[in-house]
Amino acid sequence: MSYQSTLDYIHKVQWRGQKPGLDRILPLLEHLGNPHKRLKFVHIGGTNGKGSTSAMVESVLRKAGYHTGLYTSPFINRFNERIRVNGEEIRDEELEELVDTIRPFADTMEDPPTEFELITAVAMAYFAQRNCDIVVLEVGLGGEFDATNVISCPEVAVLTAIGLDHTAVLGSTIADITRTKCGIIKPGCDVVSYGHEPEADPIIQEICEERGAKLWPVDFSRLTYKDITLEHRTFDYGPFTDLKLPLLAKYQPKNAAVAITTLTALAHRGWNITPEHIRAGLEAVEWPGRFELLGQHPTFLLDGSHNPQGMAATVESLQELFPDKKFVFLLSMMADKDVDSMLQLLLPLGEQFFTVTANISRAMPAQELADKLKALGAQAESCSSIQEGVAAAEGAAGFDGRVCALGTLYFSCDVRTAFQST
């Protein structure tokens, strides 16, 4: 198959939907020779911060000289970003070859796999093929029944900040969601928890005790914020002083604290990770689409906040970086999210709103989103394309103004492309 036909096959209608459970991923992996059994993992779940934390951990492991795999979702610019070895995306021809290998078996399965299960199987085969020393594996949805949870005991299981999201699938309370996400905790592994969630923390501790897993709570009292510029943040965490992080959002040093705690747990398990590796890895980390600065005249930020917890953190970051300033917001949101709560968070900072429809079926139509904003008293206008929305937002902000595009990661690539062409 060509690269495009490979992508078309992965995205076929028959694979769509969410079907919790491991009954489909297991035979897929068995068909490929169970590649996951030849790998070691850091398994990262949670509600917010999974991707950023994964990127930080992988960057440090690479600086420590390890041959790393990184599996994340969704992609920002290109599908291949989801599967990386030593920071390099899987090549088109490698993806084509692996999908060709799995296709005949997947096509005959009585219970067809989901798209995510197909991709996860391909990723496992690729990481094993490339002889990765360790794979940083981001959970897709939940934990216990997520396709990534086909692995046995990880080196470290990580739980980032937990909040209400995907409630139709994971449960309607923090307690329900926490128990599902704790499914990645296996007997004998180390566990790092972001914590600081009263409903979640006792459950995590209880499950760790039940499964004989060592718990490493992240101690944010050791985190000190220092300088911030449009290039990087500087902060201290425990004995690590003047750490530089090119990810600007106010929540990122907390994600870095989770990453440092994870790396400390790995070091205790015998992995050779030094303070110098941690410093260099954090300074070099790249993670586009998360409070990313695209340009400065006007200041144009791109962020993937897609639920109320993430949106609240983004608002806090905007207020810190630009105190008492207003923004032109370019918005697209998924219709199945808590849109009303997110809009309420943005209203006090919004000077003007432009809405667009991301290129995904779950996206709320731009006009519907604009109507919601108008009903709340905001000045809002829908745009027929992302290109038009970017141009309108830049025009409204002017040379010295501020634009922030956010609401979903699914329009990040189109926003960046449109910005670069204006």
Side-chain angles (χ1 to χ4, degrees):
M1 286 192 290
S2 68
Y3 176 69
Q4 187 55 54
S5 61
T6 296
L7 292 186
D8 291 343
Y9 177 75
I10 290 171
H11 299 319
K12 270 173 69 172
V13 172
Q14 75 184 74
W15 312 130
R16 288 182 186 166
Q18 297 168 343
K19 295 188 286 187
L22 305 179
D23 294 342
R24 293 164 301 279
I25 185 73
L26 281 167
L28 278 174
L29 287 168
E30 187 173 355
H31 176 73
L32 294 169
N34 290 317
H36 58 300
K37 294 184 178 179
R38 306 196 296 274
L39 297 164
K40 294 183 182 296
F41 298 93
V42 174
H43 203 183
I44 301 184
T47 303
N48 290 302
K50 298 192 299 289
S52 300
T53 303
S54 298
M56 293 180 205
V57 170
E58 188 278 334
S59 182
V60 172
L61 287 169
R62 204 170 352 130
K63 290 293 183 182
Y66 290 108
H67 195 51
T68 62
L70 178 63
Y71 181 59
T72 58
S73 59
F75 64 92
I76 301 298
N77 297 310
R78 202 163 180 269
F79 179 87
N80 302 43
E81 294 169 19
R82 299 183 60 175
I83 304 170
R84 303 186 189 205
V85 169
N86 292 336
E88 298 294 324
E89 301 170 10
I90 185 172
R91 298 200 313 267
D92 294 356
E93 55 270 28
E94 292 169 320
L95 181 64
E96 292 164 25
E97 183 180 328
L98 284 166
V99 171
D100 282 344
T101 300
I102 205 171
R103 179 176 185 168
F105 183 77
D107 284 343
T108 64
M109 289 177 67
E110 189 174 332
D111 183 10
T114 65
E115 180 179 319
F116 186 75
E117 288 163 349
L118 276 174
I119 300 163
T120 301
V122 165
M124 295 292 189
Y126 183 61
F127 295 140
Q129 193 179 86
R130 294 292 302 272
N131 297 310
C132 290
D133 297 316
I134 189 165
V135 173
V136 181
L137 186 68
E138 181 188 345
V139 171
L141 178 65
E144 182 177 3
F145 301 111
D146 185 75
T148 63
N149 206 33
V150 72
I151 68 171
S152 56
C153 182
E155 294 291 291
V156 184
V158 183
L159 295 170
T160 63
I162 291 177
L164 290 172
D165 200 13
H166 299 292
T167 52
V169 179
L170 304 181
S172 58
T173 68
I174 292 290
D176 290 340
I177 290 170
T178 301
R179 289 193 181 279
T180 300
K181 291 183 182 294
C182 281
I184 68 172
I185 298 173
K186 309 285 173 60
C189 75
D190 285 39
V191 178
V192 171
S193 172
Y194 183 102
H196 302 274
E197 173 51 65
E199 286 185 67
D201 292 353
I203 294 170
I204 295 169
Q205 186 170 352
E206 173 194 331
I207 289 174
C208 285
E209 290 171 357
E210 286 175 357
R211 299 178 188 173
K214 181 178 179 180
L215 178 60
W216 298 70
V218 180
D219 184 1
F220 291 124
S221 71
R222 304 199 303 161
L223 177 63
T224 303
Y225 287 78
K226 298 177 93 168
D227 300 330
I228 180 171
T229 68
L230 286 175
E231 282 72 47
H232 60 253
R233 281 186 168 276
T234 307
F235 65 98
D236 300 338
Y237 184 66
F240 302 94
T241 58
D242 295 322
L243 294 168
K244 286 187 168 52
L245 190 65
L247 309 181
L248 300 179
K250 190 171 184 179
Y251 53 80
Q252 291 294 10
K254 288 189 173 183
N255 288 335
V258 177
I260 292 169
T261 307
T262 302
L263 293 154
T264 302
L266 282 169
H268 276 259
R269 292 180 72 97
W271 295 83
N272 181 30
I273 301 163
T274 67
E276 291 73 25
H277 296 144
I278 289 173
R279 185 177 301 279
L282 291 180
E283 193 165 350
V285 70
E286 296 179 0
W287 198 233
R290 284 77 171 179
F291 214 77
E292 177 187 1
L293 180 70
L294 296 184
Q296 296 195 34
H297 294 293
T299 300
F300 198 115
L301 292 161
L302 174 62
D303 189 68
S305 295
H306 60 274
N307 56 41
Q309 187 183 22
M311 193 66 76
T314 295
V315 166
E316 188 180 12
S317 299
L318 292 171
Q319 291 171 321
E320 180 201 29
L321 198 55
F322 301 99
D324 303 317
K325 299 292 185 182
K326 295 277 191 175
F327 292 81
V328 174
F329 285 113
L330 177 64
L331 299 184
S332 181
M333 293 183 176
M334 297 298 102
D336 56 0
K337 296 290 185 176
D338 188 352
V339 173
D340 293 338
S341 294
M342 289 190 280
L343 295 183
Q344 290 289 352
L345 288 165
L346 291 175
L347 282 174
L349 273 65
E351 182 175 60
Q352 191 169 355
F353 294 83
F354 293 94
T355 64
V356 295
T357 308
N359 186 26
I360 182 171
S361 60
R362 290 167 47 214
M364 178 173 285
Q367 187 60 58
E368 183 179 343
L369 188 54
D371 289 343
K372 279 182 173 289
L373 283 158
K374 289 174 185 175
L376 294 168
Q379 185 178 344
E381 181 181 331
S382 67
C383 299
S384 61
S385 68
I386 292 173
Q387 178 86 38
E388 179 187 322
V390 168
E394 285 191 286
F399 187 79
D400 294 322
R402 291 153 300 281
V403 176
C404 186
L406 76 171
T408 178
L409 278 168
Y410 288 108
F411 78 155
S412 295
C413 178
D414 293 330
V415 169
R416 184 182 292 101
T417 301
F419 176 83
Q420 290 168 348
S421 66
T422 56

